[in-house]
Amino acid sequence: MRRDFLAPSTLTGDPFWAFARAMLRYRGHIALTLVMTVISAFTLGIGLAGTQPVLKAILGQGGNLQTLAQNFNAGVANAATTFAPLAHLSLSQATIDGLPSDPFLSLAYIMIVLIALTIIGATATFLHQYLSLTVVNRTVTAVRRKAYVSVLRAPLRTVIAMGPTDAVARIINDSSQLANGLNVLLSKTLIQTSKGIAGFVAAFYFNWKVS
């Protein structure tokens, strides 16, 4: 039997977090939202790191993909002295030899990869927004349904005393504010925090001393 996260026994503690726990009813959507968040942040970080060779090429300081791969292996080797498992990230010599050595062709390859990453990142961001808003709207709809049922079953004296219009207005307005809070929690907080972390990691890649 599916747990009722809006049952009175579960709505304890802070009211906002009590209703936020109701979103756990949609664990599948939340899990996919987290996956899309990671993909969006990952593509952003890789995209920022990929701008370095593009800028160097524009400024006339570009090399080629083989040089970049060799530099990558050198960085991995240095990092592996601190954390040995990173050594598995090294590219094989056969892979490096298969990369283009022409600077212009290398730049074209990098631009194609950056375009693909942009499309993937934008798609992941859209799916994150879609999934998170779906969870929020379904949760708020369930809250409103519970609230309406409570008002309909309330004693007539209580409804007359507070006014039916006031009860309906409170249900609509309060649930709208709840939806805004849940949206910030599940949508904006996740995506902005993850992108901030990705940008911070990319800054370390460019120059950890400056970062």
Side-chain angles (χ1 to χ4, degrees):
M1 180 180 294
R2 175 177 292 181
R3 180 182 178 186
D4 186 3
F5 286 95
L6 292 176
S9 59
T10 63
L11 297 179
T12 58
D14 184 82
F16 175 77
W17 292 109
F19 286 114
R21 286 195 297 271
M23 293 191 295
L24 295 175
R25 181 179 183 182
Y26 309 102
R27 293 186 180 90
H29 286 73
I30 294 176
L32 289 175
T33 298
L34 295 176
V35 171
M36 293 300 110
T37 301
V38 172
I39 294 176
S40 179
F42 178 78
T43 54
L44 174 64
I46 298 298
L48 290 175
T51 58
Q52 186 182 43
V54 175
L55 292 175
K56 285 185 176 181
I58 294 175
L59 296 175
Q61 305 172 1
N64 53 55
L65 282 178
Q66 291 185 357
T67 302
L68 292 174
Q70 291 170 354
N71 293 337
F72 174 78
N73 279 353
V76 169
N78 291 333
T81 58
T82 304
F83 189 62
L86 290 177
H88 298 290
L89 298 177
S90 297
L91 301 175
S92 65
Q93 188 59 44
T95 302
I96 296 176
D97 294 337
L99 296 174
S101 58
D102 180 67
F104 179 78
L105 187 58
S106 298
L107 179 61
Y109 273 54
I110 294 173
M111 292 300 297
I112 291 173
V113 171
L114 290 178
I115 292 173
L117 287 174
T118 301
I119 295 174
I120 294 173
T123 303
T125 301
F126 167 77
L127 291 176
H128 167 265
Q129 295 289 337
Y130 169 78
L131 292 169
S132 61
L133 287 176
T134 298
V135 173
V136 169
N137 288 332
R138 288 183 178 180
T139 302
V140 172
T141 299
V143 171
R144 283 177 175 171
R145 187 179 296 113
K146 288 275 187 178
Y148 275 120
V149 170
S150 298
V151 172
L152 290 176
R153 294 180 177 178
L156 182 60
R157 179 183 302 177
T158 303
V159 176
I160 294 176
M162 65 183 301
T165 304
D166 180 66
V168 174
R170 286 181 60 86
I171 291 174
I172 295 175
N173 295 333
D174 291 355
S175 60
S176 296
Q177 294 301 318
L178 175 63
N180 293 335
L182 296 179
N183 183 44
V184 170
L185 175 65
L186 189 60
S187 179
K188 297 180 180 179
T189 300
L190 280 180
I191 198 71
Q192 297 302 331
T193 302
S194 61
K195 287 185 175 181
I197 294 174
F200 188 67
V201 172
F204 263 89
Y205 168 77
F206 287 123
N207 192 322
W208 68 270
K209 294 180 180 179
V210 176
S211 301

